[in-house]
Amino acid sequence: MTHISEPTHRLVPTEAGRIHLVEQGSGPLVLLVHGFPESWYSWRHQLPALAAAGYRAVAIDVRGYGRSSKPAATDAYRLTELVADNVSVVHALGEESAVIVGHDWGSAIASGSGLLSPEVFRAVGMLSVPYTPRGTTRPTEVFAHMGGGDDEFYISYFQEPGRAEAEIEPDVRGWLAAFYRALSAGTMPGPGDLVPYFVSPGGTLRDRWPDGPLPGWLGEAELDFYAGEFERTGLTGALNRYRNMDRDWADLAAHEGAPLTQPSLFIGGALDAATSWLSDAVKAFPHTLPGLVSSQLLDDCGHWIQQERPEETNRLLLDWLAELPV
């Protein structure tokens, strides 16, 4: 039996200061990028599986999260900066290239890394959020028109610095539990009910989120880990990703409509609202992802794919990785 090393925590230098990562295994490098509001820990089921299959699996804390640097400036969280962090991680690990896999915001960061640094990122895996090329309309204009009546879409709600933080800070653990519950299979509202993603005038996001037990994938210990991270760091660094969507749009002007040409993978949850909202992006894959190897929708799965369905996610990842050119 092949011996698998224990996960190792490291800090590596970047232009912003440092990125914290957790590494396991040896072989071709697979860089794992988490989403909101998570951490390297969201890949805890993938690290040993990838290592056992002969890969060097590395899960990072994205800038603004965990033990990674947290620059004060809001515009320090634009996509180009996060791509630069990923390139720095690859080089700091002594590698020239990597496969990159992201979930949620990490999916957008992974696809952006592949688009802007194709010489470094030779293949791109995306979970929950499909690749969507830069369009002609400023993102905040799109989100401002989502919903109905006076309700405000959550992405618009997140735009103003300090506003969402004021909701979250008094009870970080309770807010995270409600957020994870609202987007998980088995604990989310009924199909087609988008009410939890909207804010009433003068209200908060949590006002409309379901109460009840934790989703099956999230135990008290796992919730304690996430809560501990954000109670220590706050949520501003994480929320600043949303506050740079228009900057990203401007930064990517030269890449309007550009396809992502590397070998790629998409895994979505059939019950995930993100999959429904972005269904047109999935339909466009023949044009936007000409190197697509596999696109999968997991039945009865919500947003937190690699944690809700770790074994199935691991199998799909490993099948895809095995097909990539060495």
Side-chain angles (χ1 to χ4, degrees), residues 271-295:
L271 301 180
D272 187 358
T275 304
S276 300
W277 294 331
L278 297 171
S279 59
D280 286 345
V282 175
K283 293 176 184 176
F285 280 172
H287 305 287
T288 61
L289 294 177
L292 183 67
V293 174
S294 178
S295 177

Side-chain angles (χ1 to χ4, degrees), residues 35-272:
F36 174 89
E38 300 176 274
S39 82
W40 74 266
Y41 187 68
S42 67
W43 301 103
R44 62 195 178 279
H45 303 296
Q46 284 67 53
L47 287 167
L50 291 169
Y55 295 96
R56 185 183 188 184
V58 173
I60 66 170
D61 278 334
V62 172
R63 181 185 297 205
Y65 288 81
R67 293 168 57 192
S68 293
S69 291
K70 300 161 191 63
T74 301
D75 65 1
Y77 298 84
R78 66 208 309 158
L79 180 64
T80 53
E81 295 286 335
L82 303 182
V83 169
D85 283 347
N86 291 339
V87 171
S88 293
V89 167
V90 172
H91 292 160
L93 293 172
E95 303 283 356
E96 294 184 359
S97 67
V99 174
I100 188 167
V101 179
H103 168 256
D104 182 77
W105 261 123
S107 176
I109 297 168
S111 60
S113 297
L115 183 69
L116 298 177
S117 296
E119 73 286 356
V120 176
F121 299 104
R122 61 186 182 90
V124 181
M126 293 157 280
L127 277 59
S128 295
V129 176
Y131 176 58
T132 306
R134 193 253 197 207
T136 58
T137 305
R138 189 177 296 274
T140 54
E141 294 179 13
V142 175
F143 297 122
H145 294 96
M146 293 188 68
D150 296 326
D151 287 349
E152 184 178 17
F153 192 48
Y154 80 101
I155 291 179
S156 299
Y157 177 71
F158 283 166
Q159 293 300 310
E160 182 183 344
R163 187 179 177 199
E165 289 92 327
E167 171 187 345
I168 300 167
E169 282 296 328
D171 180 16
V172 172
R173 191 180 193 276
W175 192 90
L176 290 172
F179 191 76
Y180 297 144
R181 184 187 298 119
L183 277 66
S184 296
T187 56
M188 65 173 60
D193 184 359
L194 301 184
V195 169
Y197 303 93
F198 293 89
V199 180
S200 300
T204 67
L205 259 180
R206 193 174 174 183
D207 291 341
R208 296 185 174 184
W209 288 347
D211 292 321
L214 295 176
W217 63 268
L218 183 68
E220 296 290 342
E222 287 80 13
L223 180 57
D224 283 344
F225 181 91
Y226 283 123
E229 293 289 274
F230 290 110
E231 286 167 355
R232 177 168 50 81
T233 65
L235 270 292
T236 296
L239 288 162
N240 279 344
R241 181 80 286 273
Y242 292 91
R243 295 163 185 161
N244 278 279
M245 298 178 80
D246 284 353
R247 290 188 183 93
D248 296 342
W249 182 79
D251 289 342
L252 296 176
H255 300 274
E256 183 175 317
L260 189 65
T261 59
Q262 294 96 320
S264 57
L265 166 73
F266 175 69
I267 310 173
L271 301 180
D272 187 358

